[in-house]
Amino acid sequence: MKLVVIWSTIISCHQASSTTTEWNYSEQDNWPNIEFSNPTTTVNECAGDRQSPILIPFDVAMTCSDEAASPIRFTPGNCAIQDLIFEGEPHGIKASFDLSNKKCTPPTATFPHAPNELYTVVQFHVHAKCEHYIQGEEYYYSGNTNYCDHELHIVHWNANRTNAVVVGIRMARGKDVQELKDMNTLIECWQENRAHTYAACTNGEVSSSFASCEQQNDDELFNVYGLIPTNSGFYHYEGSLTTPPCLQIVSWYLMDVKLTITSGQANSIEDLITGYIGKVNEDGICEKGVSNAAADGSTSRNSQPLNNRLVTHSCAAIDHYYFSLGTDSSSFVVGMVPLGALFAVCWILYVFRLRLLSRQSLFTMPLVAPAKLDRGH
């Protein structure tokens, strides 16, 4: 019974269900006082001592460690863009993996804090404006108000639906950057969903809230982990969901490299979030609504007290990043797997082969530094 209650609470808080008391980003101080009308959603932890987001301490951001018990290991799965359910929410835009029909295998991952536990991606969503910031970065970007435009959260749950992992990716617009194809695809799908919703909510046309993104190629697989910036390290801390009821069951992995998007993409995301007009239920009927964004268009929670929590910073992914060479070539690692050992073996075999061919001494062979493996964006 406890697991059912927790899972129902999780679903409710991330979908901003209409069964909850109204809340918005202009009155965040009132979040701890919210009472939920859904019988299975009675817990409110917004006043807890392990809340998210946080302000990453300056000293943590300036230093990092290569040491960890295990890497982050991502397995992208085999879902296509049509297997995702695209929705607008009062606080953001969301794409969910339909785990009930089992048409595809969703992405999964293991993480350093629980290396033997598999986490499955349930959904990912975008907040307008960033939620996590680095202490002092506003001075570094003095005069540039767009140094952190939006934040993408990839939400994972364990098999028992009792603990969550959120991979956070901060996004910022850049000048003279090439549009990221995957981001364009997502934006187009969210725009298609809004068109369906608009038709249902303004003209009374029956539509489906679960319509796939019809304009995309059926054969093209979508890898949400492909949005993780190249060579990103990560911050890790224990925290909470960032929307009511703010359950303190989340292990956060915040990437330390921002995803660069174009101004057009940033503006489209903001328009989709702040232009929320409602959603279409399973019967194709419009449930009208409005965005709960703050006056400045933000749907991001304010930074919460750290309360002596440990925040770690792994920079190993910057230098130690590779696609898995095991039997599952779709898996890849971000984290603490030393490339040096891999290249050392390759170097020895290479030199040994040349020695057999030319009978030159190992000590006369020139040392050539191996190129870093990359995963381009």
Side-chain angles (χ1 to χ4, degrees):
M1 177 63 69
K2 181 179 179 182
L3 297 183
V4 173
V5 171
I6 291 176
W7 179 238
S8 298
T9 303
I10 288 166
I11 292 295
S12 177
C13 71
H14 262 297
Q15 292 184 346
S17 171
S18 59
T19 60
T20 66
T21 299
E22 295 294 330
W23 55 271
N24 61 64
Y25 286 93
S26 298
E27 301 175 343
Q28 297 187 33
D29 291 341
N30 188 51
W31 287 10
N33 303 320
I34 295 174
E35 295 181 1
F36 293 89
S37 58
N38 188 326
T40 61
T41 309
T42 59
V43 179
N44 186 335
E45 296 185 344
C46 292
D49 59 0
R50 290 186 292 112
Q51 289 294 290
S52 297
I54 62 170
L55 185 67
I56 303 296
F58 178 80
D59 59 332
V60 174
M62 292 300 101
T63 59
C64 54
S65 173
D66 288 345
E67 298 179 3
S70 64
I72 300 178
R73 183 176 294 275
F74 294 122
T75 303
N78 61 4
C79 294
I81 201 74
Q82 291 81 7
D83 297 315
L84 293 170
I85 301 169
F86 290 87
E87 297 177 274
E89 296 288 347
H91 63 277
I93 45 179
K94 182 179 72 172
S96 305
F97 290 90
D98 188 357
L99 305 183
S100 61
N101 61 25
K102 298 181 179 180
K103 291 195 304 181
C104 65
T105 301
T108 58
T110 57
F111 297 91
H113 78 284
N116 297 319
E117 188 167 27
L118 187 67
Y119 284 80
T120 300
V121 177
V122 176
Q123 52 106 327
F124 55 93
H125 59 269
V126 183
H127 290 265
K129 311 298 182 184
C130 284
E131 295 204 298
H132 290 88
Y133 287 91
I134 312 300
Q135 186 179 28
E137 72 177 331
E138 68 272 19
Y139 300 106
Y140 179 83
Y141 292 100
S142 178
N144 179 10
T145 58
N146 296 319
Y147 63 86
C148 201
D149 291 280
H150 307 299
E151 189 163 315
L152 170 70
H153 294 162
I154 306 174
V155 183
H156 305 67
W157 298 102
N158 64 354
N160 294 326
R161 305 290 199 252
T162 54
N163 294 299
V165 170
V166 177
V167 172
I169 304 173
R170 305 194 307 156
M171 299 189 290
R173 68 187 74 199
K175 294 182 179 179
D176 301 322
V177 296
Q178 185 176 2
E179 288 190 341
L180 184 62
K181 179 182 176 183
D182 285 347
M183 184 58 65
N184 275 343
T185 298
L186 294 176
I187 290 172
E188 289 169 2
C189 290
W190 276 311
Q191 289 173 336
E192 182 179 318
N193 171 264
R194 186 168 70 170
H196 286 309
T197 302
Y198 185 83
C201 292
T202 60
N203 302 327
E205 297 178 11
V206 176
S207 181
S208 172
S209 61
F210 299 101
S212 62
C213 194
E214 299 167 353
Q215 60 185 310
Q216 301 302 324
N217 189 329
D218 291 340
D219 298 327
E220 187 173 352
L221 299 183
F222 175 75
N223 175 20
V224 67
Y225 295 134
L227 297 172
I228 295 175
T230 299
N231 292 334
S232 181
F234 56 84
Y235 304 102
H236 169 62
Y237 75 97
E238 297 299 317
S240 71
L241 302 174
T242 63
T243 55
C246 317
L247 297 183
Q248 299 182 146
I249 54 173
V250 180
S251 293
W252 278 91
Y253 287 86
L254 179 71
M255 298 298 109
D256 67 359
V257 176
K258 294 175 187 173
L259 176 63
T260 303
I261 57 178
T262 65
S263 290
Q265 290 172 331
N267 293 337
S268 293
I269 291 172
E270 182 176 0
D271 176 67
L272 283 164
I273 294 174
T274 59
Y276 175 77
I277 61 171
K279 63 193 306 180
V280 179
N281 63 25
E282 296 183 18
D283 297 323
I285 305 301
C286 169
E287 296 177 355
K288 293 185 177 181
V290 295
S291 171
N292 55 15
D296 64 353
S298 169
T299 59
S300 293
R301 192 184 189 190
N302 298 332
S303 295
Q304 302 299 301
L306 190 57
N307 292 328
N308 297 314
R309 279 177 285 174
L310 176 66
V311 182
T312 61
H313 184 192
S314 167
C315 56
I318 296 173
D319 295 317
H320 309 314
Y321 180 92
Y322 72 98
F323 283 86
S324 172
L325 301 180
T327 55
D328 181 6
S329 60
S330 65
S331 298
F332 61 89
V333 171
V334 174
M336 317 303 152
V337 182
L339 278 176
L342 174 64
F343 280 113
V345 173
C346 294
W347 175 251
I348 291 172
L349 292 174
Y350 172 71
V351 172
F352 181 71
R353 179 177 179 273
L354 288 182
R355 185 182 179 188
L356 290 178
L357 294 175
S358 63
R359 297 186 180 274
Q360 293 182 5
S361 169
L362 284 174
F363 299 102
T364 64
M365 296 299 294
L367 180 62
V368 179
K372 179 169 39 173
L373 289 176
D374 209 340
R375 187 173 56 90
H377 281 327

